[in-house]
Amino acid sequence: MRHYIIAKFRPGVDWPTLVEPVRAIFEETLSIEGITGVRVYPSNSSRENRHHLMIELELTPEALKRYDVSQPHLRWKETYGPLLESKTIFDRED
C-alpha cells in the first residue's frame, strides 16, 4: 500500500531548508519491517494555497501499524508538527 503525508507549513517557516532533515527522518523508517520505499517530494509551487511537502511511504498494512509507534514517526510529529498549518493523510492500495 501507499501512505501519503501532505504537509503545509505555517507562514514564515523556511520550509525548503527542512526538506533534507525531514527526508533523513523518513529514510530511517526503511529499517521498519514491511516498509520498502520512501519518497519526499517538495512542492515546485510558491502559490499560497498549495501544500509544501508530500511524503510517500510504500509499506504493508502491518508496517503502517509499526510505523505509527516508531521513533521516526514520533520525532516527525514532535519536531515538525508545531510548524505545520495543516496536514493531510491519504492511504491507497497499490
Side-chain angles (χ1 to χ4, degrees):
M1 69 179 283
R2 304 292 172 129
H3 175 75
Y4 299 92
I5 303 161
I6 305 168
K8 181 174 183 161
F9 289 92
R10 295 181 183 280
V13 172
D14 186 15
W15 68 268
T17 65
L18 304 178
V19 172
E20 290 311 314
V22 167
R23 186 185 319 272
I25 286 175
F26 280 92
E27 285 181 355
E28 289 177 35
T29 67
L30 290 168
S31 67
I32 298 170
E33 181 184 347
I35 296 182
T36 57
V38 172
R39 291 168 198 82
V40 176
Y41 304 99
S43 176
N44 66 353
S45 175
S46 60
R47 293 183 178 192
E48 194 171 303
N49 66 340
R50 299 293 196 263
H51 283 61
H52 300 116
L53 200 61
M54 183 171 77
I55 301 152
E56 177 186 17
L57 300 177
E58 185 176 353
L59 69 173
T60 64
E62 296 77 23
L64 182 56
K65 294 174 190 171
R66 289 188 284 275
Y67 162 75
D68 282 341
V69 297
S70 72
Q71 286 303 310
H73 181 234
L74 297 174
R75 195 166 349 111
W76 154 252
K77 289 175 66 170
E78 180 179 295
T79 304
Y80 298 99
L83 303 177
L84 297 179
E85 179 176 303
S86 65
K87 176 177 72 171
T88 299
I89 306 299
F90 183 83
D91 296 322
R92 72 172 181 89
E93 293 298 322
D94 279 334

